[in-house]
Amino acid sequence: MNEEEVQRKRRQNEEEATERRARILGLPYVDTREFENDAPLVMNLLTKEQMHADFIIPLQKGEGATPFQYLVTSQTPRSVIEKMTKECDDAGQRIEFYLISKSAYQVFMLRYDPPQQVHYDDIKIADEGDSATIHEVSRTLESVGTDKVFDYLLDQADRLGASDIHIENLRSVIRIRMRVDGILHPVAEISRDRYRIFMGELSSRANISIASMRPQSGHMQKEIVRNGASHLLNIRVEAVPTMYGLDAVLRLFNFDESLLNLDLLGITPEERDRINDIISHPRGLVLMVGPTGSGKSTTLYSILNALNTTERKIITLEDPIEYGLTGISQIPIQTGEGGSFAEGLRSVLRLDPDVVMVGEIRDQDTARTAIQASITGHLVLSSFHANSTCAAFSRMIDMIGVNPVFSSSVRLLIAQRLVRKLDDNKEAYQADASTTAYIKEALSNVELTDYDLNNITLYREKPSESNPFGFNGRTAIMEQLEVTEPIQRFIRGDVRGVGTQEIEKAARAEGMLTLEQKGILAALRGETTIDEVSRVI
C-alpha cells in the first residue's frame, strides 16, 4: 500500500468516526472531501483568530430565507454554538451547523489562513558513494529555520517511510541517517551548532537530559498533516553518551489502527487460516519470535485487532506502550524501575480477561505465569527473542521444564522477518547452476506444482529515476510452528535429548516450512530477490 492509499484510508476512517460522533452530538454530519479544496471562501463573517480558537468555518452567509451555515468540529465549544444560535434567533435569522472531521477543518484553515513560510526541498536518500545528494540535503538542513528544523526532519522521515532516525556524533560533523525498508541510508552531515538545536528540542520534547552520562529513554508524539489527512506519529527516543557527544536514535511508530489488519500483512491464506484457527480457541499461548525490527509488534497488534470485539475483555502489558488501541485496556510495565511482566500478569488475571498480551517473555517467572494463565481459560499472546520457532520452543522448554501439564498450553509459534519488496519495475532472469542447486536442496521436502526447479526464473531490482533502489516497502516472511501431538511430546518428556534440530525435524515432518523456505518461495513469486532473502534470513 503506497503513501497516497494509506492517507486515503486514514481520511476515510476519520470521516466514519466523525459521522458516528455527529449522531452522539445530535448534529448533521457532512463529508467535505468533494468540495473542500475549491468551495468559495466566505469572508468577513468570522475572524481568523475566532476560526482558530473555536474550530469553526463559515460555509454560507445568511440572507433572506437562506440560512447561515457553519462547519464545526467535535472541539468546537458548545457554548459558541448556543450563543450564535441565540443571536440569529433574536435577529429572526436561521442558522445551521454541520459537524466535519478535524482533517477537513485543517484543509479549510489552510485556505483561509495559509502559512507564510519558506518551502524547503524534500529530503532525498543518498545511494552509496553519492556525496552530492548528502551535500545538498545537508545544505537544506542548515538553511531551515531554527524553530522548524526538528519538525522538518520528523516530517521528512515520515514522508520517506523511515522506521528510525540516527543522529550520530563523528569527530568533525554530525551524521544523520534514516532506516528505510530495513536499510540504513546516509542523509546529511551537519555542523555541531545545528546539532545543539536538534538536541535542545529533543531534550525538551522527550524529557531527556543532554548532560547525562547514562543511557536514557524518552517518548514524544507529533501530528503529521499530509494530503488532507492527519495521523499521529509516536516516537521512542534512545540516547547514549559517546566519545564525541550524545548519540540518539528516534524510532518512529506510525501505527494506524485501520491498517493493523492481518489481511494487510502480505501473509498467505494458509498462514492466515492457521492463525484464525488458533486464536478462535478461548485458551492457549501464541508466541511471536524474531529480532528487533522484524514486525512482531505489528503482527501482535493485528491479531489483537482481529480479536477486539465487545464480547471480549482484552488487556495488554507493554514496555512501553507503542500504540493505543480503541477498546483495549493497555497497562505500561516499567521494567527499568523494578516492574515485571510476571507480577503485572498475575495482577491482571484477577480482572477476568479473555485475552492477555504480554509484551515480552524474558525470564522463567514470566514464562511459567504465562503458561499457567493459558491453561486456565485465557488466550495469551507474547513475543520472544529467538532465531526461529524451533529455537524458541527449545528455549521455552528449558525455561519451564518438561511438564505434561504444560504440553497443550503452547499452541502456535510464529517467527517473522521483513524483506524488501521489489518494485513493479523488476527484471526477470534465469537462475545459474549454483543458485538452482541451492534452491533445489532447500525445497527438497516441499511439494511444488507451480514451479519447474530445473528452469528457475528469479527477479532482481531494476533501479529507475523515480526509485533508485528498485524496492518499494517490505513484506512479512512467516514461519509457523503449530504445536501438534508429535511436537507436544517434547514438553511432556516423551523424547530424550530435546534440541532445536530434533524439534525442527519433527516440525518439518508435520509440514512446517522454515523461514528460509518461505523466503525462497517469495523470491520465486517475484515478491523479493534471493539476495534479499539471504541478507535477512
Side-chain angles (χ1 to χ4, degrees), residues 150 154 165 202 206 218-222 233-237 249-253 322:
F150 194 75
L154 291 176
I165 304 170
L202 187 63
H219 178 263
M220 54 189 285
Q221 293 181 326
K222 175 174 170 53
L233 195 64
N234 286 292
I235 304 150
R236 190 194 304 172
V237 179
V249 175
L250 283 63
R251 296 197 64 198
L252 312 182
F253 294 95
E322 293 176 354

Side-chain angles (χ1 to χ4, degrees), residues 121-122 124 131-141 187-188:
D121 293 335
D122 286 336
K124 298 176 183 175
S131 59
T133 298
I134 293 176
H135 180 65
E136 180 184 341
V137 176
S138 301
R139 282 195 309 169
T140 299
L141 279 176
V187 169

